[in-house]
């Protein structure tokens, strides 16, 4: 931690949105994979929808990442040494390792997406159809999930491993908070897209709610750790527009309200919220995840 | 053998010749004019004028790689006050946060120990900016890259000293072998101590793995605007990653618990509460 460290000047509409879309994509992919692996075939609807979300959402992110560079046309230097052309990796830099993880995750998300299209008969592509067996699909999903966890979390580690006071003092909790937020926003995105695709998600709603209850409690615990950790630099989280984003957007609307609604339905013995309420809560979770990323990114640069 | 600089702030006179020499050798333009309109004023007001003693450089930036700091220590009655003047630049740390953070290899350590920033390789991702605990590296909107002092990389590789040291009229900035400079610094420190400068200290022997550009201060480092304990952020990378992995495991377990196969859909709501 050092009060004199320079702010990088990352824009919320590039890097903040990248953190959000990367988290939604990775969170959806992970849930789709785990639901497929451990759901015993009952959750084909969840995993198919998850893989339809993961790749298109990820496609939004390269323009955001390249757009924030001072020299956008040199983006390939992230992967290849500019002088020798050999692949370049700096293990002490989350940004360097994250670039490679993004390539790996993108490849797996693409394969799972294509696999989905072939499996649902929307794409008739002979080479892919021949390879369409259960084993490679599970390999993509397992490798992609490991890379997906990395994508969900490294953005928080990237902020923590700097000398900016707010980011350094909240070390080591932002990475874990971003993973939890990726999980809850990914689940919310899957639920909404299932509604939109008219795959009736009523039987799965209870499972989404159970997942939300656990993850939202984890998010609250990590948010408390972050506010305590920030200590005397927590002031930037209590003043100005980013304080409103963090407390009203991310914590109240994005976490406490959905958790309270979830808990109320669970405790009152109905086990389920009504569907319009569940849809509204899914939108609030997505909004909260976005404002969480933007507020922590921007407050750290004040 | 690493080359570096010893900055003896106790003999700096604040002439800013080092800033001028740095700008000239490195062909650095003036800071972009930044006239903003204060709503209370009818005319645009230049925000570059800091009103802070003789310092209008204000910060190390993409076009100001050297900055002379002026610290005025005067009591209310103006008796017994003093000036502290210190010429600041990149410290060329042995454990350099910017170098650790660079994802492209644009930041390199040369055979002479200095940390150079290759302008044709840098992509302007700006991750080195918050990774430097001293607030040295800065982004230039004119070049679209990060920029900082290179210890006059091309001069020192051709047998010349740094431009700032060459221009310094009092010898406050000395360029040479780091080992020789340390001997000089130790001698100067004991001399100052013997003259009664109790707080005199050398900044840069232990900080960030040792600084190749180090300082003799007459007061605490924070008085000169330097962090007392500069933290090389990558030292926290392993713990930060481990906690994130633990968070990932927790989320994964939550997903398995929530979406796992169940024998029957009866009272499953209760059995997950563990």
């Amino acid at each position: 931690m050092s009060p004199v460290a320079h702010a990088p000047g990352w824009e919320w509409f590039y890097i903040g949105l990248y953190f959000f879309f990367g988290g939604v994509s990775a969170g959806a992919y992970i849930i789709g994979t785990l639901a497929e692996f451990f759901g015993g075939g009952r959750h084909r609807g969840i995993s198919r929808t998850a893989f339809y979300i993961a790749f298109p959402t990820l496609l939004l992110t390269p323009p955001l990442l390249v757009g924030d560079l001072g020299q956008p046309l040199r983006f390939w230097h992230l992967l290849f040494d500019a002088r020798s052309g050999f692949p370049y990796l700096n293990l002490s830099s989350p940004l360097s390792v994250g670039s490679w993880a993004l390539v790996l995750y993108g490849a797996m998300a693409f394969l799972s997406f294509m696999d989905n299209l072939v499996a649902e008969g929307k794409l008739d592509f002979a080479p892919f159809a021949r390879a369409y067996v259960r084993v490679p699909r599970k390999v993509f999903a397992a490798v992609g999930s490991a890379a997906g966890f990395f994508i969900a979390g490294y953005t928080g580690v990237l902020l923590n491993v700097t000398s900016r006071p707010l980011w350094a003092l909240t070390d080591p909790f932002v990475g874990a908070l971003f993973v939890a937020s990726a999980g809850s926003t990914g689940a919310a995105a899957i639920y909404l897209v299932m509604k939109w695709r008219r795959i009736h998600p009523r039987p799965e709603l209870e499972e989404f709610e159970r997942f939300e209850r656990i993850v939202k409690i984890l998010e609250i615990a990590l948010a408390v750790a972050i506010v305590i950790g920030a200590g005397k630099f927590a002031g930037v989280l209590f003043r100005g527009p980013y304080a409103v984003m963090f407390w009203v957007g991310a914590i109240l609307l994005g976490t406490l309200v959905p958790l309270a609604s979830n808990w109320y339905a669970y405790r009152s013995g109905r086990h389920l919220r009504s569907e319009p309420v569940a849809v509204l809560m899914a939108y609030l979770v997505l909004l909260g995840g976005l404002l969480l990323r933007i507020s922590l990114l921007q407050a750290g640069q004040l | 053998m690493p080359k570096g600089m010893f900055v003896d702030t106790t003999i700096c006179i604040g002439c800013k010749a080092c800033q001028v020499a740095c700008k000239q050798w490195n062909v650095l333009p003036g800071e972009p004019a930044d006239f903003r309109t204060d709503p209370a004023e009818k005319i645009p007001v230049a925000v570059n004028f800091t009103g802070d003693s003789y310092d209008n450089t204000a910060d190390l930036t993409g076009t100001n790689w050297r900055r002379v700091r002026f610290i005025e220590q005067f009591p209310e009655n103006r008796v017994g006050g003093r000036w502290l003047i210190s010429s600041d630049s990149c410290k060329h740390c042995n454990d350099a946060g910017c170098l650790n953070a660079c994802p492209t290899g644009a930041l390199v350590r040369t055979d002479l120990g200095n940390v150079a920033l290759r302008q044709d390789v840098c992509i302007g991702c700006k991750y080195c900016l918050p990774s430097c605990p001293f607030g040295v590296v800065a982004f230039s909107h004119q070049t679209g890259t990060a920029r900082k002092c290179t210890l006059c990389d091309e001069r020192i590789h051709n047998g010349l000293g740094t431009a700032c040291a060459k221009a310094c009229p009092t010898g406050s900035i000395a360029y040479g072998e780091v080992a020789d400079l340390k001997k000089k610094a130790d001698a100067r420190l004991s001399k100052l101590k013997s003259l009664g400068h109790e707080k005199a200290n050398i900044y840069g022997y232990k900080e960030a793995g040792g600084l190749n550009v180090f300082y003799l201060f007459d007061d605490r480092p924070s008085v000169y605007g330097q962090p007392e304990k500069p933290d090389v952020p990558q030292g926290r990378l392993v713990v930060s990653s481990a906690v994130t992995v633990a968070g990932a495991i927790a989320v994964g377990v939550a997903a398995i618990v929530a979406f796992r196969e169940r024998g029957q859909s009866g009272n499953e709501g209760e059995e997950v509460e563990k």
Side-chain angles (χ1 to χ4, degrees):
Chain A
M1 196 277 286
S2 158
V4 299
H6 282 155
W10 289 324
E11 303 285 3
W12 69 266
F13 49 83
Y14 286 131
I15 303 302
L17 288 184
Y18 161 66
F19 283 6
F20 174 68
F21 287 128
V24 170
S25 170
Y29 194 95
I30 292 161
I31 291 165
T33 303
L34 293 176
E36 168 140 343
F37 279 16
F38 295 93
R42 286 194 308 123
H43 295 312
R44 202 39 52 79
I46 294 180
S47 57
R48 289 268 162 79
T49 307
F51 297 147
Y52 278 135
I53 293 169
F55 184 64
T57 309
L58 188 68
L59 276 186
L60 299 172
T61 64
L64 300 174
L65 285 173
V66 173
D68 198 63
L69 297 179
Q71 288 282 354
L73 292 177
R74 296 183 190 165
F75 71 93
W76 58 274
H77 293 190
L78 284 166
L79 301 173
F80 299 98
D81 185 278
R83 302 256 166 106
S84 69
F86 287 119
Y88 183 80
L89 176 66
N90 177 358
L91 283 175
S92 64
S93 170
L95 213 155
S96 177
V97 184
S99 303
W100 281 103
L102 210 49
V103 170
L104 179 66
Y105 172 66
M108 296 300 129
F110 174 69
L111 289 172
S112 295
F113 181 74
M114 294 297 283
D115 180 49
N116 248 7
L117 289 176
V118 172
E120 292 202 339
K122 290 182 177 154
L123 184 75
D124 186 16
F125 183 52
F128 224 91
R130 269 200 298 282
Y132 170 63
V133 284
R134 287 192 66 81
V135 175
R137 177 204 284 166
K138 289 204 168 186
V139 173
F140 313 150
V143 176
S145 288
F149 270 124
F150 193 96
I151 295 302
Y154 92 96
T155 51
V157 176
L158 182 146
L159 295 184
N160 276 161
V161 183
T162 64
S163 290
R164 287 293 297 174
L166 181 67
W167 296 339
L169 287 170
T170 54
D171 190 35
F173 299 112
V174 177
L177 177 63
F178 281 7
V179 172
S181 172
S184 62
T185 52
I190 295 173
Y191 176 70
L192 289 173
V193 174
M194 280 174 86
K195 291 280 293 177
W196 180 64
R197 292 181 74 207
R198 299 181 192 284
I199 300 173
H200 195 54
R202 188 83 197 173
E204 277 96 2
L205 181 55
E206 185 172 349
E207 288 164 341
F208 280 116
E209 299 204 334
R210 188 179 298 126
F211 179 66
E212 187 187 53
R213 274 199 293 283
I214 306 172
V215 172
K216 283 294 172 192
I217 289 169
L218 181 63
E219 278 181 44
I220 291 171
L222 288 166
V224 168
I226 279 171
V227 173
I228 292 171
K232 65 175 178 168
F233 284 92
V236 292
L237 288 176
F238 289 97
R239 279 191 305 274
Y242 306 120
V244 178
M245 278 190 194
F246 184 75
W247 291 104
V248 179
I251 302 298
L252 180 67
L253 294 178
T255 307
L256 293 177
V257 169
L259 182 63
S261 151
N262 187 324
W263 203 261
Y264 176 75
Y266 176 64
R267 274 291 146 208
S268 63
R270 286 184 285 128
H271 285 280
L272 287 177
R273 293 180 279 204
S274 68
E275 294 222 8
V277 173
V279 168
L280 175 66
M281 292 304 145
Y283 279 115
L284 284 185
V285 167
L286 286 171
L287 176 73
L290 174 64
L291 294 179
L292 174 74
R293 304 312 201 290
I294 293 177
S295 58
L296 285 179
L297 177 72
Q298 296 301 107
Q301 301 190 70
L302 285 178
Chain B
M1 283 286 112
K3 303 277 189 182
M5 292 191 281
F6 165 49
V7 182
D8 182 352
T9 65
T10 60
I11 54 172
C12 177
I13 56 172
C15 70
K16 300 192 192 180
C18 50
Q19 282 191 229
V20 174
C22 178
K23 286 234 176 210
Q24 288 189 329
W25 178 261
N26 293 299
V27 201
L28 296 174
E31 192 69 4
D34 194 359
F35 284 85
R36 283 187 212 133
T37 308
D38 182 343
E41 299 282 341
K42 288 280 193 296
I43 51 167
V45 175
V47 297
N48 299 60
F49 297 116
T50 63
D52 176 17
S53 189
Y54 285 91
D55 180 12
N56 282 321
T57 314
D59 198 2
L60 292 170
T61 67
T63 50
N64 291 320
W65 296 356
R66 202 166 250 299
R67 169 194 176 196
V68 180
R69 293 170 183 263
F70 295 81
I71 299 107
E72 299 182 24
Q73 290 184 330
F74 290 96
E76 280 292 298
N77 61 8
R78 316 294 288 173
V79 175
R82 64 173 179 171
W83 289 80
L84 299 174
I85 307 167
S86 153
S87 183
D88 191 14
S89 71
C90 175
K91 281 97 188 151
H92 299 273
C93 319
N94 283 316
D95 185 6
C98 61
L99 186 65
N100 297 340
C102 181
T104 63
L107 279 154
V108 286
R109 188 179 302 284
T110 77
D111 55 332
L112 294 179
N114 57 316
V115 178
L117 208 170
R118 302 188 295 181
Q119 288 299 307
D120 58 327
V121 179
C122 178
I123 61 173
C125 75
K126 305 180 272 284
Y127 192 38
C128 48
L129 273 68
S131 301
C132 170
F134 301 100
V136 168
V137 196
F139 183 72
S140 165
H141 289 277
Q142 288 152 325
T143 60
T145 54
R147 304 199 77 181
K148 74 171 193 74
C149 158
T150 65
L151 202 72
C152 284
D153 194 40
E154 59 295 297
R155 283 177 67 98
I156 64 173
H157 280 92
N158 287 285
L160 297 167
T162 55
C164 51
K166 188 87 173 171
C168 181
T170 67
S172 168
I173 303 174
Y175 167 82
E177 297 276 347
V178 171
D180 297 344
L181 294 172
K182 280 184 175 172
K183 282 183 205 138
K184 188 174 168 180
D186 290 336
R188 178 73 184 150
L189 178 67
S190 48
K191 169 98 183 201
L192 278 177
K193 293 260 189 196
S194 70
L195 290 170
H197 292 255
E198 306 262 314
K199 288 187 184 168
N201 67 92
I202 290 172
Y203 184 69
Y205 280 0
K206 294 189 298 287
E207 289 78 5
L211 309 179
N212 285 339
V213 175
F214 55 98
Y215 296 77
L216 175 58
F217 287 148
D218 203 4
D219 207 330
R220 298 183 62 78
S222 55
V223 172
Y224 292 84
Q226 303 294 350
E228 295 275 348
K229 289 195 176 77
D231 140 70
V232 181
Q234 290 77 17
R236 295 184 265 111
L237 182 59
V238 172
V239 173
S240 191
S241 304
V243 171
T244 304
V245 168
I249 291 171
V251 172
V253 169
I256 292 169
V257 165
F259 294 103
R260 72 175 168 198
E261 190 177 14
R262 286 183 179 74
Q264 57 181 52
S265 56
N267 300 329
E268 65 213 26
E270 280 73 31
E271 70 192 43
V272 296
E273 301 300 310
K274 58 189 177 205

